[in-house]
Amino acid sequence: MNTRYSFGGDEHIFVECDEEMSLEAFFKGMSITTALREAKIRGVTEICPANASFQVRFDPDVIAPEAMLSELKALEAAAQAAPSVLETRIIEVPVYYNDPWTHETLMRFRERHQDPTSTDVEYTARINNLDGVDGFVKAHSGAPWFVSMVGFVAGLPFLYQMVDRARQIQSPKYLRPRTDTPRLTVGHGGCFGCIYSVRGAGGYQMFGITPMPIYDPNQTVPYLRDFMCLFKPGDIVKWKPIGREEYDHTVAEVDAGRWMPRIAPVTFSLAEFQKDIDGTNTRIMEALNGH
């Protein structure tokens, strides 16, 4: 990977870990930004990690730009020698694919889509050579997804599919953005999945909806009382296909304050993943069953 540094005005350095997203680029950025926080360098005022990049804000009156750059390069050199192991968690997210709410929305915006005659799931299945809707659901939910970034909209996770590049689902954004997307829509654009934490405009393909709140500024949802956003970078997501009956039941349980997501601690090793992708994914997903 070829790291590129560039200054943005007098107070920012933008660091691009690689030209495209990968787990290797994510771990490199995470290692550097973690080390930067722990180093507590005088003058560093903000660290903003992204998918395969990050940005650092600093006070040039406290640390000179070239000195800041030297500190980052030193941290990069140290990060390259460190093992890429992450103590994290896997979170099961129920998804009602082809639900009526995202379907109604996508039908209102078909003139903005690449294929107005099909649904978003049908279109994505076709361009990825999958066997229809069932084949798509199997491919989308069959492997875990890595949370590479949280942001853009409060609490919105960007998700990267943990399979080899040849099997990753790819789908472009709409030709023109929509002015409406239902809250908790499971979407996809390029190589990234996401969950829309709030209702609003959007351009990602809409695959379904989850009954599981992921952002609660009022912190009334039991599992969001400690922190209003569920996800953090490094989390791993396992989609669980559900139908209308389970969707309605889960919504009722959430509203009653009785529902809790399935979450399990896991250790993720990038080296082990690179050696055996499917075996590593199986081990990680089995953690949800207590194995």
Side-chain angles (χ1 to χ4, degrees):
M1 289 181 286
N2 184 21
T3 305
R4 296 194 297 186
Y5 297 85
S6 57
F7 287 99
D10 297 329
E11 299 181 351
H12 297 88
I13 295 180
F14 177 72
V15 183
E16 187 177 36
C17 298
D18 201 4
E19 293 183 355
E20 58 183 22
M21 174 58 191
S22 66
L23 289 179
E24 292 81 1
F26 170 83
F27 269 89
K28 184 176 182 178
M30 183 184 69
S31 296
I32 298 171
T33 54
T34 300
L36 181 58
R37 287 192 186 92
E38 294 174 350
K40 300 185 185 302
I41 297 170
R42 288 187 67 250
V44 173
T45 59
E46 189 174 2
I47 305 166
C48 183
N51 291 314
S53 61
F54 61 91
Q55 183 169 277
V56 178
R57 185 179 184 183
F58 62 96
D59 185 346
D61 293 330
V62 178
I63 182 170
E66 290 302 323
M68 185 73 252
L69 181 59
S70 295
E71 292 280 5
L72 289 174
K73 289 184 175 180
L75 291 173
E76 179 191 2
Q80 289 176 336
S84 297
V85 178
L86 180 65
E87 297 297 330
T88 185
R89 57 189 182 161
I90 183 169
I91 303 171
E92 185 178 77
V93 178
V95 184
Y96 181 12
Y97 290 95
N98 271 337
D99 66 280
W101 303 282
T102 59
H103 182 79
E104 185 276 331
T105 303
L106 67 86
M107 293 305 294
R108 283 193 279 123
F109 294 97
R110 288 333 276 163
E111 80 283 357
R112 306 186 185 197
H113 194 271
Q114 291 83 353
D115 184 0
T117 64
S118 66
T119 67
D120 293 7
V121 169
E122 291 168 344
Y123 168 73
T124 302
R126 187 175 70 254
I127 66 173
N128 284 273
N129 297 313
L130 299 171
D131 187 15
V133 172
D134 289 344
F136 167 83
V137 172
K138 182 178 179 180
H140 189 263
S141 64
W145 295 65
F146 200 88
V147 178
S148 59
M149 171 181 160
V150 178
F152 184 73
V153 174
L156 184 151
F158 286 82
L159 302 149
Y160 187 76
Q161 195 173 21
M162 295 169 60
V163 294
D164 57 84
R165 290 287 178 86
R167 289 186 288 164
Q168 282 183 342
I169 293 172
Q170 302 277 343
S171 194
K173 295 192 290 185
Y174 276 43
L175 298 174
R176 290 186 293 129
R178 300 179 302 273
T179 56
D180 189 23
T181 307
R183 172 176 170 265
L184 298 177
T185 290
V186 175
H188 196 99
C191 67
F192 289 107
C194 81
I195 303 173
Y196 284 79
S197 53
V198 297
R199 183 177 184 178
Y204 276 22
Q205 306 286 335
M206 296 183 290
F207 296 157
I209 200 165
T210 177
M212 172 180 166
I214 63 170
Y215 170 65
D216 179 19
N218 297 319
Q219 293 180 265
T220 58
V221 175
Y223 58 88
L224 296 175
R225 284 177 181 159
D226 292 334
F227 192 65
M228 66 180 69
C229 299
L230 174 63
F231 293 108
K232 58 186 178 181
D235 281 341
I236 296 172
V237 167
K238 171 64 175 72
W239 306 115
K240 176 192 175 185
I242 61 173
R244 179 62 185 266
E245 183 177 353
E246 185 171 351
Y247 175 87
D248 290 342
H249 175 74
T250 303
V251 168
E253 291 293 288
V254 169
D255 290 344
R258 293 190 295 263
W259 191 85
M260 296 291 286
R262 296 179 69 202
I263 301 175
V266 292
T267 300
F268 178 80
S269 166
L270 181 60
E272 291 181 6
F273 178 80
Q274 292 169 329
K275 290 179 183 177
D276 183 6
I277 293 176
D278 292 336
T280 300
N281 285 345
T282 297
R283 177 184 62 78
I284 289 172
M285 291 187 291
E286 285 180 348
L288 289 168
N289 299 318
H291 298 155

